[in-house]
Amino acid sequence: MSVMSVETDRNWFLLTSKPHKDEVAEFQLRNQGYDVYRPLAKRLRTQRGKVVTKVESLFPRYMFIHLDDGVNDNWAPIRSTTGISSFVCFGTEAARVPDALIATLKQQEVYLGERAIDLDRFHNGDKVVITDGPFRGLEAIFQKYDGEERVIVLLEILHKQTKLALTPGQLYAA
């Protein structure tokens, strides 16, 4: 006769925090004993005319929590924790996040911690010049950042505005 051991199957789940409450929510969850991961990155910000480096959430308003399926972990206090908005769900199921994704994010966080991301360099409507590729030397209008590695600009070709995705390094202010 064998004795069955009860092992809990722990998974990462995705939580959202209230606006500008990422840090508070993470702190409160850790104080309650939960295993929480909030990826961080350095970001260049302009404050009072000076460029400063700040450490901020890589994904503002999102964090990961490591839980079992409710057998050993009590999920009820999580929803009422200061700063927490809700679990991200698909239908009625809380969104599970693969362990491999968490491991990759942790590896990338080390890389991102070594350099600052300058996401405030260009603003919507800024005139920019493309410095590389087939559109080199042409003026465009900056639209938005699309993740860390891409920007969207409007380029006028034959009197028609066309959206173009580039890397931030392919632009400079006009």
Side-chain angles (χ1 to χ4, degrees):
M1 185 172 170
S2 66
V3 177
M4 285 183 95
S5 65
V6 179
E7 282 189 27
T8 60
D9 192 20
R10 297 182 72 76
N11 293 290
W12 287 98
F13 295 90
L14 187 57
L15 288 172
T16 58
S17 68
K18 294 179 180 169
H20 310 291
K21 298 293 181 190
D22 311 30
E23 194 171 347
V24 170
E26 178 188 23
F27 178 79
Q28 293 294 331
L29 288 169
R30 286 189 190 284
N31 274 351
Q32 295 175 57
Y34 291 106
D35 183 11
V36 180
Y37 175 54
R38 181 174 60 106
L40 302 174
K42 288 182 184 176
R43 183 170 176 185
L44 296 178
R45 290 271 192 187
T46 304
Q47 283 186 333
R48 299 182 191 144
K50 290 185 175 184
V51 176
V52 295
T53 302
K54 294 196 145 227
V55 176
E56 297 179 353
S57 293
L58 181 60
F59 309 114
R61 296 195 61 201
Y62 290 93
M63 67 189 66
F64 304 95
I65 188 165
H66 205 211
L67 301 167
D68 69 16
D69 287 327
V71 178
N72 293 318
D73 290 324
N74 185 359
W75 289 35
I78 297 168
R79 290 180 182 89
S80 60
T81 298
T82 302
I84 291 296
S85 181
S86 63
F87 277 91
V88 173
C89 293
F90 296 119
T92 58
E93 291 283 317
R96 283 185 169 81
V97 179
D99 289 341
L101 176 61
I102 300 297
T104 300
L105 285 171
K106 286 182 177 183
Q107 288 174 338
Q108 290 298 314
E109 187 177 17
V110 171
Y111 169 71
L112 291 172
E114 294 171 356
R115 65 185 189 91
I117 304 167
D118 185 0
L119 293 181
D120 295 326
R121 186 169 150 203
F122 302 113
H123 299 91
N124 187 7
D126 286 354
K127 286 186 179 181
V128 294
V129 176
I130 301 170
T131 62
D132 193 22
F135 301 107
R136 181 181 183 176
L138 295 179
E139 255 189 31
I141 304 296
F142 180 83
Q143 290 293 292
K144 66 178 183 174
Y145 286 95
D146 188 23
E148 180 190 341
E149 299 296 327
R150 291 183 2 154
V151 296
I152 305 297
V153 298
L154 283 179
L155 183 65
E156 192 168 314
I157 301 175
L158 300 174
H159 303 291
K160 182 181 177 192
Q161 288 191 336
T162 305
K163 286 186 179 181
L164 181 64
L166 302 167
T167 62
Q170 289 179 283
L171 303 176
Y172 68 85

